Amino acid sequence: MIILMFCILQNTVTAQVITTVIIKGRVLNRQTQLPLENALISLSSVQNPDKKQSSKTNKSGAFEMQTEAGEWNISIDFSTFKPVTLNNQSVTEDLDLGDLFLNENYQLLETVTVSGEKSGLS
């Protein structure tokens, strides 16, 4: 009986082991090839969308995040650039995404005319 309980307890403890992995990469401006400091990297679990994690890039545009192994949606976002999303990334071991390039988000603006009148007061 004691041996049976020990075997059940050992299997329960073994099943609860969580594998941690490191996801890393570097974010660059596609046009200038320069690193983007403070770009936001967001992870969202495919199995549990409420499980989220985020980090920012350093001066070199590099990031490194430790997380649980699993399926992740990975988003890279930086102001005035088009975001990049890598959906359903199966991460079972450390993952180096390499260089990730963001394109500037140019939007055409309508012409603005500024006019003024000279004041009669001196």
Side-chain angles (χ1 to χ4, degrees):
M1 181 70 164
I2 293 176
I3 294 173
L4 178 61
M5 287 177 51
F6 177 74
C7 289
I8 292 171
L9 181 62
Q10 184 177 9
N11 286 339
T12 303
V13 171
T14 304
Q16 294 176 356
V17 173
I18 296 173
T19 304
T20 58
V21 294
I22 293 175
I23 299 174
K24 65 181 181 177
R26 192 168 65 141
V27 181
L28 304 169
N29 178 325
R30 181 173 299 283
Q31 286 74 22
T32 66
Q33 306 293 304
L34 294 173
L36 295 175
E37 181 180 5
N38 291 321
L40 180 65
I41 313 303
S42 301
L43 303 178
S44 176
S45 171
V46 173
Q47 293 87 358
N48 181 4
D50 291 334
K51 186 186 288 186
K52 297 178 190 260
Q53 188 175 341
S54 63
S55 183
K56 290 190 174 187
T57 57
N58 63 20
K59 278 186 168 185
S60 312
F63 67 92
E64 188 171 298
M65 301 173 71
Q66 185 172 349
T67 191
E68 296 176 14
E71 291 225 10
W72 294 96
N73 293 324
I74 304 170
S75 298
I76 302 97
D77 195 18
F78 191 71
S79 177
T80 71
F81 284 79
K82 293 179 183 175
V84 170
T85 303
L86 307 170
N87 288 317
N88 301 315
Q89 298 295 303
S90 180
V91 184
T92 56
E93 57 188 29
D94 291 351
L95 175 63
D96 186 350
L97 295 170
D99 290 342
L100 301 162
F101 294 95
L102 298 187
N103 290 309
E104 293 184 45
N105 192 9
Y106 297 110
Q107 292 184 348
L108 296 177
L109 301 176
E110 292 183 30
T111 304
V112 176
T113 304
V114 178
S115 61
E117 294 179 21
K118 185 175 180 180
S119 173
L121 300 174
S122 303

